[in-house]
Amino acid sequence: MSLADELLADLEEAGDEGEDGLYPGEEGEKGGLEDIPEEMEVDYSGAESVSSIAKLRNSKQFSEIMDKIAIYVEKQRKNSEVSGPVEADPEYKLIVAANNLTVEIENELNIIHKFVRDKYSKRFPELESLVPNSLDYVRTVKELGNNLDKCKNNENLQQILTNATIMVVSVTASTTQGTMLGEDELKRLEEACDMALELNQSKHRIYEYVESRMSFIAPNLSVIVGASTAAKIMGIAGGLTNLSKMPACNLMLLGTQKRTLSGFSSTAVLPHTGYIYHCDVVQTLPPDLRRKAARLVSAKCTLASRVDSFHESADGKVGYDLKEEIEKKFDKWQEPPPVKTIEDDAYQEDLGFSLGQLGKSGSGRVRQAQVNEATKARISKSLQRKLQKQNMTYGGRSSVRDNSSGTSSSVAFTPLQGLEIVNPHAAEKKVAEANQKYFSNMAEFLKVKKEGEGK
């Protein structure tokens, strides 16, 4: 038996052993995988009323928290009144409980939205895809009801949806295949819509209270993005502790809204933009820097939330330091590029002419000493003459010697003699020799008349 046959035999034996021991209870009873039910979206179309599935509004916890918030709103406390650890303060516990309640309210609103959607799909099934926002959908259902003709020239609906969405909804409503709802079904829908709007109003009341007390719970975070934005991101994250555990890339996406444009242009849509992007700190910058600024502010907010979660720097000093760093970065980004200054005329330098020391302060010399740019050492006059003789070209010039184009020709066209063969470099050579004689950098005065000689 070869080595390959032995290897195949070992693999077959290992496979048989694995199959025998993989599901030990397969013969006598069903495997564990079949006992796990497949997760599916809950269907609320069979529920009789919304109160049977949404029980938060009538719960004791909800009423107690809202009553305590109403009491603390009337009497505002100062930070100096807090004694002992902050966690033991009853108002801090209320703020944490209120933040947790906002998450439960969001879940309850999703349940009510699904209930309303399942019930109203009998009348207008296309409305779900046209109005993706849950609260806008609930308000639209409450406004329309059985009469879909209310879409046209409805002022209340214009406050809920945009004009483009209203146009699409009215066109779709004229061709829908839905059937009329009964009075009982319509009454249940109105009850569900009222409950959703009341819960949403309670959620905003909690946000307002938490925003007013953000200097008490998260002073450093409030300094960077403001109390309103800090309350929103802390509420949607589920509390300050959960916010401190969140990375900056996820914190930047808090508050992102999903939009369905129904065939309209998507040029105005800003994906991956949440509360941080729309805060005042970021919106003061030009549009091309806002995404970069949102990433920076999110990173600083993550640091500030972690400081606040440990109740350090209660006066907000860390927040002010972080905000100062952000502002310095913003100023650095918006600085204009440095202006390039040219002392001498670049064109004259390229031609080999310069003003030397003329016009330069601190020296009365007319000519500047020749300096080798490679070694920064002065060149003697004899070496300068030797270099100039090496650079001079004698005889005919070619494309190989002067690195010119190989397609250049010495044939010139004249209007009188037709074709004429000339040497175009002869005149240039004469000019170069004259310049070398009279205008060279090493040219000297041949004879200087002294003062005593004229007498």
Side-chain angles (χ1 to χ4, degrees):
M1 181 181 292
S2 62
L3 183 61
D5 295 337
E6 292 179 359
L7 181 60
L8 291 174
D10 292 340
L11 288 175
E12 290 177 359
E13 292 177 2
D16 295 339
E17 291 176 0
E19 291 177 358
D20 295 339
L22 186 59
Y23 304 110
E26 188 175 1
E27 296 179 359
E29 56 186 11
K30 294 183 180 180
L33 292 176
E34 296 182 0
D35 296 335
I36 301 174
E38 185 180 0
E39 293 185 1
M40 297 179 64
E41 189 175 357
V42 182
D43 186 11
Y44 295 109
S45 58
E48 295 182 358
S49 63
V50 68
S51 57
S52 62
I53 57 174
K55 303 178 181 180
L56 179 63
R57 191 189 66 171
N58 300 325
S59 64
K60 183 180 178 181
Q61 176 192 3
F62 179 82
S63 58
E64 287 179 354
I65 291 177
M66 296 306 298
D67 293 340
K68 289 181 180 179
I69 288 176
I71 293 173
Y72 279 107
V73 165
E74 294 178 358
K75 55 173 186 178
Q76 289 288 341
R77 299 172 62 195
K78 298 181 180 179
N79 293 338
S80 58
E81 298 178 8
V82 181
S83 59
V86 185
E87 290 85 354
D89 189 78
E91 188 173 6
Y92 178 81
K93 293 181 180 180
L94 176 62
I95 291 173
V96 174
N99 271 324
N100 297 332
L101 184 63
T102 55
V103 179
E104 296 181 12
I105 290 176
E106 287 288 345
N107 297 333
E108 199 82 354
L109 289 174
N110 291 332
I111 292 174
I112 298 175
H113 170 248
K114 292 176 183 177
F115 174 82
V116 174
R117 181 195 61 191
D118 293 340
K119 292 291 185 182
Y120 200 69
S121 60
K122 178 181 176 182
R123 180 67 186 95
F124 194 0
E126 296 87 0
L127 185 63
E128 177 191 355
S129 60
L130 301 179
V131 186
N133 186 272
S134 59
L135 283 173
D136 292 344
Y137 182 86
V138 169
R139 293 191 183 102
T140 306
V141 169
K142 183 180 178 182
E143 184 65 29
L144 295 181
N146 262 334
N147 188 8
L148 300 183
D149 295 334
K150 290 183 179 180
C151 295
K152 303 174 182 177
N153 300 326
N154 192 330
E155 295 182 357
N156 295 331
L157 200 60
Q158 290 178 359
Q159 298 177 359
I160 302 171
L161 305 175
T162 61
N163 293 330
T165 308
I166 292 175
M167 181 180 67
V168 177
V169 169
S170 60
V171 171
T172 311
S174 61
T175 58
T176 185
Q177 301 295 326
T179 58
M180 299 291 290
L181 297 174
E183 294 183 0
D184 294 338
E185 294 176 335
L186 199 59
K187 186 177 180 180
R188 295 193 196 101
L189 278 175
E190 291 180 357
E191 180 185 357
C193 294
D194 293 337
M195 181 182 289
L197 296 177
E198 184 179 346
L199 286 174
N200 183 59
Q201 186 178 1
S202 301
K203 183 183 71 172
H204 285 292
R205 196 180 306 133
I206 292 174
Y207 280 156
E208 291 175 0
Y209 167 70
V210 174
E211 179 182 342
S212 64
R213 301 300 292 157
M214 281 306 295
S215 60
F216 172 75
I217 183 173
N220 298 285
L221 184 62
S222 302
V223 167
I224 297 177
V225 293
S228 176
T229 306
K232 289 177 182 178
I233 61 177
M234 196 173 70
I236 201 170
L240 186 60
T241 304
N242 293 338
L243 184 65
S244 63
K245 297 177 182 178
M246 190 175 294
C249 57
N250 292 352
L251 189 144
M252 186 177 63
L253 301 179
L254 293 179
T256 304
Q257 295 181 356
K258 183 175 65 175
R259 296 184 182 181
T260 300
L261 298 176
S262 304
F264 292 95
S265 174
S266 60
T267 54
V269 177
L270 296 173
H272 311 298
T273 55
Y275 293 133
I276 297 292
Y277 183 85
H278 296 286
C279 69
D280 296 336
V281 183
V282 178
Q283 291 298 314
T284 54
L285 293 178
D288 55 337
L289 294 175
R290 288 176 186 172
R291 286 191 178 275
K292 186 178 180 181
R295 290 193 290 269
L296 175 63
V297 174
S298 300
K300 301 301 182 183
C301 286
T302 303
L303 298 177
S305 63
R306 291 168 184 172
V307 172
D308 290 331
S309 65
F310 288 100
H311 309 293
E312 297 179 359
S313 182
D315 56 349
K317 183 178 182 303
V318 175
Y320 284 110
D321 293 342
L322 293 175
K323 188 173 183 180
E324 186 177 357
E325 293 179 11
I326 292 173
E327 291 175 351
K328 286 182 180 178
K329 288 270 189 180
F330 289 174
D331 295 339
K332 186 69 175 177
W333 294 345
Q334 297 181 82
E335 283 183 0
V339 180
K340 296 181 179 179
T341 57
I342 302 175
E343 296 181 359
D344 297 332
D345 191 355
Y347 182 70
Q348 293 293 331
E349 290 288 343
D350 293 338
L351 293 179
F353 299 98
S354 65
L355 298 178
Q357 292 289 337
L358 290 178
K360 295 185 178 180
S361 61
S363 174
R365 300 177 60 185
V366 176
R367 298 193 180 277
Q368 184 180 9
Q370 294 293 319
V371 178
N372 187 3
E373 295 296 333
T375 60
K376 299 297 181 182
R378 293 192 176 187
I379 306 175
S380 63
K381 292 185 178 180
S382 60
L383 182 58
Q384 291 174 18
R385 294 191 185 96
K386 187 181 294 184
L387 292 175
Q388 284 187 352
K389 288 180 181 179
Q390 292 177 359
N391 294 332
M392 291 177 63
T393 57
Y394 298 98
R397 301 181 65 181
S398 64
S399 61
V400 177
R401 180 176 296 179
D402 58 2
N403 296 326
S404 61
S405 175
T407 59
S408 61
S409 175
S410 59
V411 178
F413 292 90
T414 60
L416 299 177
Q417 299 178 0
L419 294 178
E420 181 182 359
I421 298 177
V422 297
N423 185 7
H425 301 295
E428 295 179 4
K429 183 178 179 182
K430 291 181 180 180
V431 173
E433 290 177 353
N435 290 338
Q436 183 68 24
K437 182 177 180 181
Y438 296 104
F439 302 105
S440 174
N441 290 331
M442 285 76 67
E444 300 175 350
F445 293 105
L446 299 180
K447 185 177 181 181
V448 179
K449 187 177 182 180
K450 297 181 180 180
E451 295 181 357
E453 294 180 358
K455 295 180 181 180

